[in-house]
Amino acid sequence: MKAYFDRIGYRGKAEINLETVKALHALHPEAIPFENIDPLVGAPVELSLNRVFKKLVEQGRGGFCFEQNILFGAVLRTLGFNIVGLSARVFWEIEEGEIRPRDHMLLLLDLNGVSYLLDVGFGSASFSAPLVLNQDGIQYTENNHYRISLVAEFYYLEILIKDSWRLMHRFGLEHQMLADYEVVSWYLCTHPQSLFIKDLMVAKSFSEGRYALHNNQFTVHKKEGKSIKQKLQSVEEIIEILQDKFAINLPEGKKLTLKLKDYIDSKT
């Protein structure tokens, strides 16, 4: 546990209360970035807790939703919290009418009779604090505003972007097991049409907003003011951003360099 606390910079007492969850939920995405480098270069992604802990905590890497939330959920369970895993069907940043499998992991916390939605692995739209599951109206966090609606047996999570509500994903309350996530993770890491093997996607929170990198486009989303976008012109620039802004200890080998070269050559 100390290694995880050191990784995210947590210095408080690990008590079983909402304040502890809020603190960990805020610090985690500021220290451990969302990134899909392993599937991008064809490296295997293992979801066992030992492997996830080694990668995200000991090796200074990030990961995508399964890795992030498996780690975060395990930490909270170890502390004594009641945590279960859920799955969601994502509607964020996809073409109208496109239907994807339930390929996102999120967490449900039951604390003192109240259910909270937790998620440290949604990339640049991740919320920075727990959301109350059954609460009407807008829920405010440091980075964005959200609302959760229950329609029939499904919950719909929306985010407010420039005065417009946009659907992030739809989820139910059926508890998921590691095997469920492993099947979907394998699909994301191997299917020819999966964005996880086609596009570089990286995100990390910081005190004033969020960094996001999509292929060779680097964006700084500020809490106050307009987002700043920059097209990176070389592989060296992308690598510098990955190491400097996202603090990723990049894997050795030439596969990542070759993949990044494709983004520069195609001028995406």
Side-chain angles (χ1 to χ4, degrees), residues 25-42:
H25 203 295
L27 289 171
H28 183 115
E30 290 187 358
I32 305 179
F34 177 98
E35 52 109 326
N36 67 317
I37 292 174
D38 279 354
L40 193 70
V41 300

Side-chain angles (χ1 to χ4, degrees), residues 125-144:
S126 289
F127 38 92
S128 57
L131 301 179
V132 180
L133 181 67
N134 296 298
Q135 177 175 306
D136 295 330
I138 301 174
Q139 301 193 46
Y140 301 92
T141 71
E142 284 291 323
N143 292 322
N144 293 105

Side-chain angles (χ1 to χ4, degrees), residues 29 34 63-65 68-69 88-93 103-106 119-127 146 157 159 167-169 203 210:
F34 177 98
F64 56 98
C65 69
Q68 299 273 4
N69 284 319
R89 191 182 307 278
V90 175
F91 293 90
W92 176 256
E93 302 290 1
D103 59 2
H104 179 62
M105 178 185 180
L106 56 160
D119 187 357
V120 294
F122 201 80
S124 60
S126 289
F127 38 92
Y146 302 86
L157 176 63
I159 183 174
L167 178 62
M168 291 175 60
H169 54 65
R210 286 194 176 111

Side-chain angles (χ1 to χ4, degrees), residues 101-190:
R102 291 186 297 173
D103 59 2
H104 179 62
M105 178 185 180
L106 56 160
L107 301 169
L108 187 68
L109 163 69
D110 180 68
L111 182 62
N112 299 325
V114 180
S115 295
Y116 298 90
L117 194 66
L118 313 178
D119 187 357
V120 294
F122 201 80
S124 60
S126 289
F127 38 92
S128 57
L131 301 179
V132 180
L133 181 67
N134 296 298
Q135 177 175 306
D136 295 330
I138 301 174
Q139 301 193 46
Y140 301 92
T141 71
E142 284 291 323
N143 292 322
N144 293 105
H145 305 332
Y146 302 86
R147 66 184 183 189
I148 302 175
S149 305
L150 176 61
V151 181
E153 72 271 29
F154 291 110
Y155 289 87
Y156 291 76
L157 176 63
E158 296 175 287
I159 183 174
L160 184 62
I161 302 291
K162 296 180 179 179
D163 300 320
S164 177
W165 287 102
R166 296 178 57 186
L167 178 62
M168 291 175 60
H169 54 65
R170 183 186 75 184
F171 62 96
L173 299 184
E174 181 181 359
H175 298 178
Q176 304 295 299
M177 308 299 288
L178 178 60
D180 301 313
Y181 298 129
E182 287 177 330
V183 170
V184 183
S185 177
W186 179 85
Y187 166 86
L188 292 174
C189 294
T190 61

